[in-house]
Amino acid sequence: PTFAPTPLPTFAPTPLPTPVPPTNPPTDPPTAAPTAAPVPTAPVGLCGTNPVATLNNGICEAGEDCLSAPNDCSGTTGGKPNNRFCCHGGPTSGTAYATLCTDSRCNSNGCSLSTEPVYWCCGDGVCAGGGETNSNCPEDCPLNPPPPSPEPTPIPAPTPTAVCLGRNAWCSVNQDCCSGNCKNNGKCA
């Protein structure tokens, strides 16, 4: 047999893996903090300011009288002169037969002597008229206001029911016995 020489190991350097270049740190930190999500806000109630006088709201207000606002201010301008009156709101009026709305003849409608505008808010339980209506605030201005709650009907006291005694029960009169017969021995028949 022929022997071939065995190659000797070589101790040549082993190639190293290619080095990965170092990562660069961020150049500049962010200058502003991240923006937070907006916080929801509660809905704002519908509010407004009525002018001093609002026609056809049932209140005789400053600037209104029986001629300019007959649905708000009562008045009679015809007939006997001593029966004539013209209700007005506010402190003064230039109308003939001017009568302050606090007069008893004017009490069929509301009365306002204020010359200040009326501030209103939907949901406060008051229908202020003007800008507050059934269409934008039905909870304050219902189409058909509910009638006042009736007084509760008292429940009558129960009528005592007659208790009758059965056969051989002790009795003193016929009405004690269900049979209607109280025998001489004092017992129900």
Side-chain angles (χ1 to χ4, degrees):
T2 316
F3 291 100
T6 307
L8 292 172
T10 60
F11 294 101
T14 308
L16 294 173
T18 307
V20 176
T23 57
N24 292 333
T27 53
D28 289 323
T31 56
T35 305
V39 176
T41 58
V44 177
L46 177 63
C47 296
T49 303
N50 286 351
V52 173
T54 302
L55 285 175
N56 299 318
N57 68 348
I59 302 170
C60 191
E61 299 163 306
E64 295 180 327
D65 58 45
C66 71
L67 300 175
S68 66
N71 291 330
D72 293 342
C73 302
S74 303
T76 301
T77 56
K80 292 183 178 181
N82 61 345
N83 290 336
R84 295 178 190 174
F85 68 99
C86 185
C87 299
H88 67 88
T92 61
S93 173
T95 307
Y97 309 105
T99 306
L100 196 59
C101 65
T102 55
D103 185 279
S104 62
R105 295 172 291 178
C106 302
N107 285 341
S108 61
N109 292 323
C111 170
S112 175
L113 301 179
S114 174
T115 57
E116 297 296 318
V118 177
Y119 180 75
W120 58 268
C121 261
C122 182
D124 64 1
V126 176
C127 185
E132 188 174 28
T133 65
N134 173 265
S135 61
N136 67 2
C137 190
E139 57 267 37
D140 286 354
C141 305
L143 281 177
N144 298 315
S149 299
E151 290 294 320
T153 305
I155 299 172
T159 305
T161 55
V163 176
C164 58
L165 303 172
R167 185 177 169 98
N168 292 325
W170 293 104
C171 60
S172 54
V173 292
N174 287 337
Q175 291 83 0
D176 289 345
C177 302
C178 294
S179 65
N181 184 4
C182 180
K183 299 190 291 181
N184 290 339
N185 65 0
K187 291 190 175 183
C188 293

